[in-house]
Structures are given as C-alpha cells and as structure tokens.
Amino acid sequence: MLSDYLAGVIPQMIERGRVLTDSIPRNLPRDYDALRSTCKQYVDESILALESLENQAFSPEHLRVFKRIVSDMDLIETVGIAALNRASDTDHQLNMLIDKIAREINYPRLIPTVTTLSQNYFCIYPSFNLMCVPLIEGRFLLHLPDLYHELAHPLFTEKNDPLLELFQNRYRDALMHVLNYFEEEKLKAEERRGPNIYDMLHAWQRSWIKFWIEEFFCDLYGVYTLGPAFVWSHLHLAIKRGTDPFELSLMHATSHPCDNARMIAMLYALKLSGFHDVAERIQLQWGEFLEEISATGEPEYHRCYPSHLISKVAEYAWGAVKDMKVRIATPSVNDPVHTLLNEAWEQFWRNPSGYVEWEKQAVATLLTECARQ
C-alpha cells in the first residue's frame, strides 16, 4: 500500500514544489532578493530529495524521510514564500526601518527581511533570515524596540564569521558558567538529603541552557544597542501581555525566563552602559507595578534566578556585544531611530493622555526619515 501511495504522491509533491517556485514574485524590491534566493534554494533542495526518494526501492524508512520533506516544504510555503507573496507597502516601510536600525548600530551580518504576517508577536526565522511582526505594529512606537531583540537571534547560528565567533564564544562562556552553577546546586541537593529539589534544579538547568541564556543575550543586545527604550518596552509587554512576573516552572523546561528575571538583567545592563538615572526610574516603576498586582516570588525563585548568575550573564553579553564592534547605546548617542524610540517613552511618561497625537506625528517623521536613505 505505502509503495503505491508514495509512487503517486512523490510526483505530486515535486509538482507542488515547482508551483511554489512559480509563486515567488519576480517584481519585488531588492530588499527581498535574499529571501527569494533562500526560498528558491530550499524548494530546489526539497525537489532533489523527493527525486532521490522516487528513484529508490521502497523501504519502511521512506515514509519518515517523505514526512520530513513535506514538513520542510510546508514551512517554506507558509513562512518564506507567503511573506514574499503577500508583501505590502507596510512591509516595505518596515524593511526600510530595519535597514536604518541595522546601519545605526553597525549590525554585523545580513539584514533580515521583515514581514507583517506574525500571528502572535515579534519573532524571527533565522533559516529564512525573516523577521515577523504584527500587522500594524509599524504604525506605533512603543513595541518597536523588540526589533532589536529579534536582530540578535541569528547571531548565534551564523558560521565561519570571525567577528560573530567572538560573540558566540562569550555565549558559550555564559553557558558553561550557568551549567557549573546548577551542577554545584544539584550536588548540594544530593548531599543535604533534605527536601528533594534535584528534579527542579535539573529542569531549570535545561531551561537556562536550551533557551534562557539565548533569550537573555537577545534582551541584553537590545539594551546595549538601543538603551532605555528597550527596557521600557519590556515593562510595557509585561503589563499588557505578561502572566506572573515571577512565574516558575517546577518540573518542565520553558522557552523564556520570567519577566522579573529579564527585567533584573536589563536594569543591570542599563547601568553597565551608563544609564544609571533612567535605570533607577524604571526600577521604581517596576517595583510599583509588582506591588500593585501583589506579585512575589516563591522561595525557590532565587535558586532558579540567583542575582549573581543574572549579573554574570549580563557581563558576558556586554563583552559579546562590544567584541562585535556594534554601536553601543550611551546617553550621548543621537542616531535618528535610536533617539526617536527613546523619546517616545519620555513623551509617554511626560504626557500620557497626549501621547497618541504625538505618536502619530512621530511615526510620520520616522517613515520620512527612513525613506531618505
């Protein structure tokens, strides 16, 4: 049955790949050339894999290989080619903005393409070098600092680039530091023979190593290249969409560290880069927010997120960003996008009720500035 099925469906999938190639628009601005080339390459590789499978005698392993190819083609269709096929004027504007940001901070690699196809929040697909943002996010300023976070994710996977290897080496140093901390804590837990928290420590260790250090580094990259606006945007996101700021998974790995730990890391980084006064203001606002919602950490919180570990990760990230020779945000930096995103938060707190009207004009100014490049 499976042999006959694959004999019919593999040619159909090959034809699907050809149709996908034909669906790639040929009249988009040069901003999309890299994404077009990547999608075409991935489709070609999938077709070649299907043709190879088609020419082999059937074995049970063929179904597993076929499913992997189908999964790859689904991702190409629903992410990469969909972004190309539905590119809009809003996408073009955001691509001009990300280009402007990248030039301001001396971004050390190929600039991602931006699409407004995100169904949730900001995210990036490093394999496509494609950043996804919500549909109308480009018309507002307070969340745009998260673009800087997403710019950091591809830095971990780029190969054979001596400049980025310096960043990646610092990241590995942070991994080893965290790994050693939890190994020591697990050893203590075994020796004490008290309440068994070994499994919790192991789950936290897995979260830190697999997900959290990268997320911390991306947050810190945002702080070091943009400054206070990035930290204000985290407060904004935590209030609007966050859950418990001290959320602590006791047995399972989670993809992101809790909001309070992220804030502690950002505030430490803000002070490292010279923004002591603003850091104090944000820390005060964050403390008031936690108090008003009666948020406190469980006793285990400080074992999962010890302050010395968070500050050490912030220091590793500080070295990593400086090693790449990117432009560091300091109180004296006056680049246009940097200045506007930071001014937006100053305006918001100075005159909350009048902010909407100010923002409309500021967005128009930003788009005009981006169009000049």
Side-chain angles (χ1 to χ4, degrees):
M1 177 269 184
L2 282 177
S3 179
D4 290 340
Y5 172 79
L6 290 175
V9 79
I10 288 176
Q12 195 262 357
M13 285 300 298
I14 291 173
E15 179 60 21
R16 188 179 184 89
R18 292 171 55 81
V19 172
L20 277 178
T21 297
D22 191 51
S23 299
I24 299 174
R26 292 167 166 78
N27 60 346
L28 292 174
R30 292 185 62 185
D31 296 347
Y32 296 88
D33 283 355
L35 180 59
R36 289 177 60 208
S37 176
T38 298
C39 289
K40 177 64 166 62
Q41 176 189 337
Y42 286 171
V43 172
D44 288 346
E45 290 172 354
S46 294
I47 290 176
L48 185 63
L50 287 165
E51 289 172 342
S52 175
L53 196 62
E54 187 179 33
N55 294 325
Q56 297 176 31
F58 174 76
S59 73
E61 175 70 6
H62 283 185
L63 183 60
R64 186 191 67 79
V65 175
F66 175 72
K67 285 184 174 182
R68 178 184 55 77
I69 298 170
V70 170
S71 177
D72 290 344
M73 290 183 68
D74 285 347
L75 190 65
I76 298 166
E77 177 180 352
T78 59
V79 176
I81 294 180
L84 291 167
N85 214 266
R86 301 175 187 178
S88 65
D89 289 343
T90 302
D91 292 346
H92 302 335
Q93 290 171 344
L94 282 169
N95 277 293
M96 289 190 292
L97 173 61
I98 203 70
D99 186 71
K100 186 79 171 176
I101 290 171
R103 293 177 189 280
E104 283 189 2
I105 66 175
N106 195 26
Y107 187 60
R109 66 177 302 279
L110 183 66
I111 302 168
T113 302
V114 184
T115 179
T116 54
L117 286 181
S118 176
Q119 298 298 303
N120 188 10
Y121 192 58
F122 290 70
C123 66
I124 194 164
Y125 292 87
S127 60
F128 291 99
N129 204 31
L130 179 66
M131 189 183 300
C132 302
V133 304
L135 179 63
I136 60 172
E137 206 62 64
R139 294 169 58 182
F140 302 91
L141 299 176
L142 299 184
H143 283 305
L144 287 183
D146 282 311
L147 294 171
Y148 292 73
H149 173 106
E150 300 305 334
L151 280 172
H153 277 295
L155 303 178
F156 297 90
T157 54
E158 193 86 5
K159 298 185 185 304
N160 305 314
D161 186 326
L163 190 62
L164 296 186
E165 284 172 359
L166 298 173
F167 176 92
Q168 293 160 2
N169 288 340
R170 298 276 191 176
Y171 170 67
R172 282 191 286 271
D173 289 343
L175 283 173
M176 288 305 302
H177 191 94
V178 170
L179 180 65
N180 290 337
Y181 164 75
F182 279 102
E183 288 301 314
E184 290 173 5
E185 289 299 306
K186 288 193 291 185
L187 185 60
K188 291 176 188 176
E190 289 181 326
E191 291 174 348
R192 287 171 185 162
R193 301 190 180 188
N196 185 10
I197 68 161
Y198 183 93
D199 291 340
M200 286 190 291
L201 287 165
H202 186 65
W204 298 336
Q205 182 184 48
R206 286 176 54 220
S207 295
W208 270 93
I209 298 300
K210 190 173 182 180
F211 303 112
W212 294 356
I213 300 179
E214 181 170 336
E215 291 300 328
F216 275 125
F217 262 59
C218 291
D219 284 343
L220 294 161
Y221 182 86
V223 178
Y224 294 138
T225 55
L226 179 59
F230 187 84
V231 190
W232 283 123
S233 73
H234 177 65
L235 183 147
H236 185 36
L237 184 64
I239 295 174
K240 282 179 67 177
R241 294 188 171 95
T243 53
D244 177 2
F246 293 91
E247 187 171 15
L248 192 63
S249 175
L250 298 182
M251 291 297 173
H252 304 289
T254 57
S255 63
H256 287 72
C258 72
D259 285 331
N260 188 70
R262 295 174 73 174
M263 178 60 80
I264 296 302
M266 292 180 208
L267 292 172
Y268 187 88
L270 208 52
K271 293 174 182 177
L272 265 183
S273 48
F275 293 96
H276 293 272
D277 291 344
V278 185
E280 293 297 331
R281 285 173 50 205
I282 298 174
Q283 188 167 2
L284 180 63
Q285 297 266 31
W286 181 252
E288 291 177 357
F289 163 60
L290 296 180
E291 185 176 344
E292 289 175 13
I293 65 170
S294 301
T296 57
E298 299 178 43
E300 295 86 358
Y301 170 84
H302 294 289
R303 201 156 187 186
C304 180
Y305 297 107
S307 58
H308 67 84
L309 197 61
I310 291 174
S311 60
K312 194 64 180 178
V313 169
E315 290 166 7
Y316 280 122
W318 176 239
V321 173
K322 289 195 295 183
D323 285 346
M324 288 190 300
K325 307 293 191 295
V326 300
R327 193 271 287 127
I328 301 292
T330 66
S332 62
V333 168
N334 60 0
D335 295 324
V337 179
H338 168 275
T339 300
L340 185 61
L341 294 180
N342 280 283
E343 176 61 19
W345 276 103
E346 293 299 322
Q347 287 287 339
F348 179 85
W349 292 117
R350 188 180 302 131
N351 182 17
S353 61
Y355 175 76
V356 169
E357 290 305 315
W358 180 90
E359 185 178 51
K360 289 178 182 178
Q361 182 58 49
V363 169
T365 300
L366 176 62
L367 296 178
T368 300
E369 177 68 35
C370 290
R372 288 191 184 129
Q373 56 191 21

